[in-house]
């Protein structure tokens, strides 16, 4: 591993470097236009050691500059490039936000992957173990070829000194990613009712001193069930039923578990992490593992890579309600089967109720899932062959789950007459717009789709990624295997258009969701009597964010608390007591 700091002559440094002002108090703004100032205040790390890291370069013909990192430079690259800010002192503000602009330079090669980390130290280990981070793959996003705005809420770090890192990683053989217009801003002071130096909005233990933690478990004594270090006397162990997690093809391998209400100090080990980055592209792989835990208020996710480690002891201090481990391949176009091993989970709890497996991560133990009417079944799309710009949707009975099928004959043609060129783009979504995966004919020829948990419908859409009018291309869809629930029979529909809207709603429109965009509170007004639940999903990766169960009456206005949820695009589903989706709405939180 090489740490490459961009350097320049002492004469130039004497003129520019000594005068560079590294902002360490808010607001901090950096447009990366002054190369000398950036080189003085930021640290560059070429962790993959290929000599090609982040650079400052012109973004367009106007001379505007920004950060650039490459995953292709005459030959395929597999970057692990870092750029790290100087120390920034965050005030005790009610709101602190990090924002930046990002794009994949060319939309044809937009599967660029990057991370943003915020930590109290500036070592790589500080960043990869931080719970405050953002990650995104730009494939098919609004940042394909054009700059798009992104932001990350840093309010939980108010009053602390932090470093911010951008990492280009988990991708190969695309082209370039650009970052510009970095800023950290804050607004307002804060109320600190218990005078512990922590704003009420970020207080881990309201009414007590957050800084007093006698047993060092990350939970202040005032809210700790075992503040005097007696947790070891309550130590327990849980064996994960399937301690080998496997990923094959497209999607993810995932397992989740729910813990007793007072669980804390959780630990387990992940082993068998590997990577292969040489040889034929289809045989290469990078094991990536996301470990997510919920402390009762929000999710914290850390990603580990087989490029860097073969095993990782996981230690979660303080309280946790649930844990999710997700395995996936960091290299697109690979069809390798990869796997990791999970050790027993140890934890501390007064509750003798054992943890339980929650395979579909819906907050219900698998043993409590309704399954009496669920039988193994098969179904077919109404047309097993899609041609041209086409989409097909298959709807399932209420309670159906765990669907799988194969997409074949994903191709491309980029020789001969340009008018006949095409790259087949296949998009798979489920449950009214949750993205499962996007596949391109110049990368793979087939894709295996495996969607765990409850599935109400699945849609497969085909188009030409090159955007021309050639429609002489097609794919074939295999038979769907799934677990059938009770309800009406499955129905499949096919539609053709010049463009496909994956977010259109066909459910009842009796629900009004506002405001949109929203900040701290989302309102839902309905003309429905009965019990409903609201489920909020991340629209980018389909991960569930929050479940809220309420009883509504005709014309009632319901308030949904979205405070603390990271800014971005989400899907809000309104579901009745029978599990029927009554409304799906795209919601922007900012």
């Amino acid at each position: 591993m090489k740490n490459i700091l961009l350097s320049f002559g002492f004469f130039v440094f004497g003129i520019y470097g000594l005068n560079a002002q590294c902002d360490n108090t808010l607001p901090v703004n950096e447009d990366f236009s002054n190369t000398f100032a950036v080189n003085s205040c930021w640290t560059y790390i070429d962790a993959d050691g290929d000599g090609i890291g982040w650079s400052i370069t012109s973004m367009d013909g106007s001379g505007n500059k920004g950060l650039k990192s490459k995953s292709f430079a005459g030959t395929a690259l597999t970057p692990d490039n870092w750029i790290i800010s100087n120390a920034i002192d965050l005030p005790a503000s009610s709101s602190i936000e990090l924002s930046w602009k990002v794009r994949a330079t060319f939309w044809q090669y937009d599967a660029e992957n990057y991370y943003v980390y915020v930590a109290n130290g500036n070592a790589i280990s500080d960043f990869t173990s931080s719970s405050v981070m953002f990650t995104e793959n730009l494939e098919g996003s609004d940042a394909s070829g054009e700059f798009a705005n992104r932001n990350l809420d840093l309010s939980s770090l108010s009053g602390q000194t932090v470093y911010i890192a951008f990492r280009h990683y988990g991708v190969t053989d695309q082209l370039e990613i650009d970052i510009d217009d970095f800023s950290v801003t804050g607004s307002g002071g804060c109320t600190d009712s218990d005078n512990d130096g922590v704003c009420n909005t970020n207080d881990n233990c309201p009414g007590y001193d957050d800084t007093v933690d006698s047993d060092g478990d990350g939970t202040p004594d005032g809210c700790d069930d075992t503040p005097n270090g007696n947790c070891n006397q309550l130590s327990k162990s849980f064996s994960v039923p399937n301690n080998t997690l496997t990923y094959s093809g497209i999607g993810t391998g995932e397992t989740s578990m729910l813990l007793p209400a007072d669980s804390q100090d959780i630990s387990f080990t992940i082993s068998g992490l590997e990577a292969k980055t040489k040889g034929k592209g289809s045989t290469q792989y990078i094991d990536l593992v996301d470990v997510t835990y919920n402390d009762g208020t929000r999710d914290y996710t850390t990603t580990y890579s087989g490029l860097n480690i073969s095993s990782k002891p996981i230690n979660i201090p303080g309280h946790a309600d649930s844990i999710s481990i997700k395995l996936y391949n960091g290299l697109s176009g690979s069809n390798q089967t990869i796997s990791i091993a999970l050790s027993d989970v140890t934890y501390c709890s007064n509750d003798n109720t054992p943890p339980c497996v929650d395979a579909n991560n819906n907050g219900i133990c698998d043993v409590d899932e309704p399954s009496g009417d669920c039988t193994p079944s098969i179904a077919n799309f109404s047309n097993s062959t899609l041609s041209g710009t086409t989409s097909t949707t298959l709807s399932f009975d209420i309670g159906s789950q765990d669907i799988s099928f194969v997409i074949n004959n994903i191709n491309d043609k980029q020789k001969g007459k340009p008018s006949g060129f095409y790259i087949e783009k296949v998009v798979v979504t489920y449950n009214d717009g949750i993205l499962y995966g996007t596949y391109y004919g110049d990368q793979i020829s087939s894709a295996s789709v495996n969607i765990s948990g409850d599935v109400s419908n699945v849609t497969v859409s085909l188009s030409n990624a090159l955007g021309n009018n050639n429609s002489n291309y097609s794919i074939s869809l295999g038979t769907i295997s799934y677990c059938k629930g009770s309800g009406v029979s499955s129905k499949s529909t096919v539609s053709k258009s010049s463009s496909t809207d994956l977010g259109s709603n066909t459910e009842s429109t009796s629900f009004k969701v506002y405001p949109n965009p929203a900040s701290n509170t989302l309102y839902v007004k309905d003309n429905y009597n009965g019990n409903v639940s609201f489920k909020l999903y991340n629209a980018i990766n389909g991960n569930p964010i929050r479940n809220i169960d309420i009883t509504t009456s005709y014309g009632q206005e319901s308030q949904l608390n979205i405070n603390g949820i990271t800014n971005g695009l989400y899907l809000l589903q309104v579901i009745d007591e029978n599990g029927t989706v009554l409304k799906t709405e795209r919601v922007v939180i900012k």
Side-chain angles (χ1 to χ4, degrees):
M1 182 180 294
K2 298 182 180 179
N3 186 339
I4 302 178
L5 301 180
L6 296 186
S7 60
F8 34 88
F10 285 104
F11 175 74
V12 176
F13 185 81
I15 296 175
Y16 297 98
L18 294 177
N19 294 322
Q21 298 297 314
C22 302
D23 293 336
N24 62 354
T25 58
L26 302 195
V28 174
N29 296 291
E30 180 57 71
D31 62 4
F32 304 105
S33 61
N34 187 328
T35 305
F36 299 105
V38 175
N39 291 346
S40 298
C41 301
W42 293 67
T43 300
Y44 299 76
I45 300 178
D46 175 19
D48 57 271
D50 63 359
I52 302 175
W54 287 100
S55 63
I56 299 175
T57 185
S58 176
M59 295 288 103
D60 51 49
S62 65
N64 175 53
K65 293 182 178 179
L67 289 174
K68 183 182 293 293
S69 180
K70 298 176 180 290
S71 59
F72 180 87
T75 186
L77 303 175
T78 305
D80 188 4
N81 299 331
W82 296 73
I83 184 166
I84 304 169
S85 75
N86 59 285
I88 300 174
D89 297 324
L90 301 181
S93 297
S94 58
S95 176
I96 303 175
E97 181 177 84
L98 163 64
S99 62
W100 66 95
K101 290 183 178 180
V102 64
R103 73 174 179 183
T105 311
F106 297 96
W107 68 266
Q108 299 96 327
Y109 305 97
D110 61 352
E112 296 289 358
N113 199 73
Y114 74 105
Y115 295 77
V116 183
Y117 300 94
V118 185
N120 298 119
N122 62 354
I124 287 180
S125 58
D126 295 321
F127 292 118
T128 56
S129 62
S130 174
S131 61
V132 182
M133 57 89 70
F134 176 97
T135 184
E136 179 181 22
N137 189 296
L138 299 179
E139 184 175 21
S141 73
D142 58 343
S144 298
E146 299 292 339
F147 275 107
N149 296 314
R150 297 289 185 265
N151 46 57
L152 179 62
D153 185 5
L154 304 187
S155 301
S156 63
L157 299 173
S158 63
Q160 303 179 38
T161 298
V162 302
Y163 298 82
I164 299 172
F166 289 92
R167 183 188 191 188
H168 186 201
Y169 176 69
V171 63
T172 189
D173 199 19
Q174 289 298 296
L175 202 57
E176 300 171 347
I177 187 172
D178 299 327
I179 301 289
D180 204 0
D181 294 343
F182 165 95
S183 71
V184 185
T185 57
S187 62
C190 75
T191 302
D192 179 15
S193 300
D194 52 15
N195 297 312
D196 62 354
V198 180
C199 298
N200 285 0
T201 54
N202 300 318
D203 215 331
N204 290 327
C205 188
Y208 298 89
D209 192 341
D210 273 23
T211 64
V212 179
D213 179 16
S214 301
D215 56 5
D217 66 351
T219 302
D221 285 0
C223 294
D224 199 337
D225 292 332
T226 57
N228 298 317
N230 296 322
C231 189
N232 289 335
Q233 299 176 15
L234 304 170
S235 182
K236 296 175 173 61
S237 180
F238 174 69
S239 297
V240 182
N242 183 4
N243 60 6
T244 299
L245 200 58
T246 300
Y247 158 91
S248 180
I250 305 299
T252 60
E254 185 172 7
T255 187
S256 300
M257 65 194 75
L258 300 177
L259 299 163
D262 66 345
S263 298
Q264 56 184 299
D265 298 347
I266 294 93
S267 64
F268 59 96
T269 298
I270 301 171
S271 58
L273 286 159
E274 298 178 329
K276 177 187 175 184
T277 58
K278 294 182 180 180
K280 189 177 180 180
S282 61
T283 66
Q284 297 180 20
Y285 61 89
I286 299 175
D287 290 355
L288 293 182
V289 180
D290 289 347
V291 177
T292 300
Y293 74 93
N294 187 289
D295 65 358
T297 58
R298 57 167 294 186
D299 288 337
Y300 299 86
T301 301
T302 304
T303 301
Y304 305 99
S305 170
L307 278 174
N308 303 323
I309 55 176
S310 59
S311 65
K312 178 65 180 180
I314 305 297
N315 297 288
I316 302 173
H319 171 72
D321 282 347
S322 61
I323 308 169
S324 174
I325 303 103
K326 181 184 294 185
L327 171 67
Y328 55 102
N329 193 338
L331 297 180
S332 61
S334 170
N335 57 12
Q336 293 300 293
T337 297
I338 58 180
S339 64
I340 57 172
L342 305 174
S343 72
D344 290 352
V345 177
T346 61
Y347 63 101
C348 175
S349 175
N350 285 296
D351 191 338
N352 290 321
T353 304
C356 70
V357 175
D358 177 22
N360 58 9
N361 199 20
N362 66 350
I364 302 175
C365 296
D366 286 359
V367 295
D368 296 326
E369 292 275 12
S371 58
D373 296 326
C374 187
T375 57
S377 306
I378 60 173
N380 291 287
F381 290 101
S382 60
N383 188 348
S384 61
T385 300
L386 296 184
S387 301
T389 302
T390 315
S391 69
T392 182
T393 298
L394 179 64
S395 297
F396 296 92
D397 303 341
I398 295 172
S400 296
Q401 54 189 289
D402 301 340
I403 76 164
S404 62
F405 63 96
V406 176
I407 306 171
N408 290 311
N409 302 323
I410 309 175
N411 297 307
D412 72 314
K413 178 183 178 183
Q414 301 184 68
K415 295 181 179 180
K417 293 183 178 180
S419 60
F421 287 5
Y422 63 84
I423 297 176
E424 291 180 342
K425 178 180 178 180
V426 183
V427 179
V428 178
T429 60
Y430 66 101
N431 292 357
D432 301 297
I434 299 175
L435 177 65
Y436 175 81
T438 303
Y439 319 112
Y440 292 89
D442 62 342
Q443 298 178 6
I444 60 176
S445 60
S446 64
S448 298
V449 177
N450 298 281
I451 304 176
S452 300
D454 295 336
V455 181
S456 59
N457 52 69
V458 62
T459 298
V460 180
S461 300
L462 174 64
S463 62
N464 186 352
L466 297 180
N468 61 34
N469 294 324
N470 177 29
S471 60
N472 188 25
Y473 52 89
S474 64
I475 60 173
S476 59
L477 306 175
T479 297
I480 295 180
S481 300
Y482 69 105
C483 183
K484 184 179 181 180
S486 61
V488 298
S489 299
S490 302
K491 295 181 179 180
S492 179
T493 59
V494 177
S495 63
K496 291 190 176 184
S497 63
S498 58
S499 63
T500 302
D501 179 8
L502 298 178
S504 59
N505 295 318
T506 59
E507 313 93 332
S508 166
T509 57
S510 61
F511 289 83
K512 180 180 180 182
V513 180
Y514 59 94
N516 198 359
S519 296
N520 298 314
T521 303
L522 193 63
Y523 297 90
V524 180
K525 191 171 184 178
D526 65 271
N527 297 326
Y528 179 83
N529 283 313
N531 297 321
V532 299
S533 62
F534 297 92
K535 291 187 177 181
L536 191 66
Y537 296 88
N538 185 310
I540 303 301
N541 55 32
N543 288 338
I545 303 299
R546 186 166 294 178
N547 292 345
I548 304 171
D549 295 320
I550 64 172
T551 299
T552 66
S553 59
Y554 190 87
Q556 174 181 321
E557 181 182 73
S558 304
Q559 297 186 24
L560 309 183
N561 180 13
I562 56 174
N563 189 36
I565 296 178
T566 303
N567 295 354
L569 178 63
Y570 296 85
L571 294 175
L572 177 70
Q573 287 189 339
V574 186
I575 304 170
D576 69 11
E577 58 268 32
N578 296 318
T580 302
V581 177
L582 303 174
K583 179 76 172 178
T584 300
E585 186 79 15
R586 284 177 173 157
V587 176
V588 176
I589 297 178
K590 69 174 186 177

